Amino acid sequence: SKHALQMWLQIALLPSPICALFKPPSLACEAFADACADASGVGLGGFVRLPSGCTRFFQARLSTEELQPLFPWLPCDTSPQVFIATWELLAQCALLWALRSMLPVGHMPLHVTLRCDNAAAEAASWKGLSMAQGLCSVLLAFTRWQHAWALSAYIEHVPGFQNDLADGLSRSVASASLGFQSSDRLSPDWQALAHGPAVRSAPAELDLSRFVKALAR
């Protein structure tokens, strides 16, 4: 509960707290991601494909030793498999990162539907809340990246058999055998994705007297 409250406090400190109530225009695309885990580490994979055919995908394997510096809350004596929902949501962060790389700088706010086959990760994203420490930390990053990139995301549930390409990527299946070109591969910055962008907020007490005087002239 304490971590959940800290997450909302940090979200409240984000800049530009005012936003439109209207949903941004929807961006048509295919966006699927998946994660798998065992005692030795985590596999993550996913892809984004636009109607034009332009595609970007990622495929990575992070060992338990590589996960520890990224996620200090991860117990040293616990298998990453226990936190599979956390890695599923981290893969969704990577989907946003891949999509952002395909859009022009300064694009208008957009709404996108991402696909996932993990109910816990989906539910956390819908509610914007989790009582699980690991999931809560990645949920904060997921929320902050949406804000930073002007992308609002809805994670839609799909059954596992419809997520077969992302599942293959997460399990280190050769990307070429899944129909992906090596030139379309991206290497996400997992350190950045795990923590989200730096929070920049205005001073608590801002002196606007000179601004007000200028308006009065």
Side-chain angles (χ1 to χ4, degrees):
S1 299
K2 180 179 179 181
H3 284 284
L5 292 174
Q6 289 175 341
M7 182 193 77
W8 280 107
L9 175 61
Q10 292 185 54
I11 290 174
L13 292 175
L14 287 170
S16 303
I18 299 174
C19 62
L21 293 178
F22 294 103
K23 188 181 76 173
S26 296
L27 176 66
C29 68
E30 293 180 64
F32 294 79
D34 188 68
C36 65
D38 54 30
S40 64
V42 172
L44 302 117
F47 71 93
V48 177
R49 181 174 292 125
L50 300 181
S52 64
C54 181
T55 303
R56 296 290 184 271
F57 77 94
F58 63 91
Q59 184 176 42
R61 175 74 185 179
L62 302 177
S63 67
T64 304
E65 291 72 22
E66 292 173 310
L67 290 171
Q68 289 291 342
L70 296 177
F71 305 99
W73 51 262
L74 183 63
C76 299
D77 57 349
T78 304
S79 170
Q81 171 62 35
V82 175
F83 304 97
I84 185 60
T86 300
W87 317 131
E88 292 276 6
L89 191 58
L90 180 62
Q92 297 295 316
C93 289
L95 270 189
L96 283 179
W97 185 85
L99 178 60
R100 176 63 185 87
S101 72
M102 305 168 75
L103 298 174
V105 176
H107 65 83
M108 66 182 294
L110 295 169
H111 181 75
V112 62
T113 299
L114 312 178
R115 275 82 179 186
C116 178
D117 60 10
N118 183 273
E122 298 153 16
S125 72
W126 299 337
K127 295 184 294 184
L129 185 65
S130 173
M131 292 298 125
Q133 183 178 20
L135 193 53
C136 189
S137 71
V138 178
L139 180 60
L140 172 60
F142 183 67
T143 304
R144 288 167 63 177
W145 281 125
Q146 290 181 71
H147 181 92
W149 291 331
L151 293 170
S152 71
Y154 173 75
I155 301 181
E156 179 180 81
H157 181 81
V158 292
F161 73 89
Q162 291 184 5
N163 205 28
D164 56 341
L165 292 180
D167 181 76
L169 289 171
S170 71
R171 298 179 187 279
S172 301
V173 175
S175 57
S177 68
L178 297 173
F180 297 102
Q181 303 293 325
S182 59
S183 58
D184 294 333
R185 181 167 185 162
L186 299 173
S187 298
D189 183 344
W190 297 109
Q191 175 73 28
L193 289 177
H195 297 91
V199 174
R200 296 185 296 275
S201 57
E205 296 181 3
L206 189 62
D207 184 6
L208 298 177
S209 58
R210 288 187 297 176
F211 175 72
V212 172
K213 289 179 180 179
L215 291 178
R217 292 176 182 175

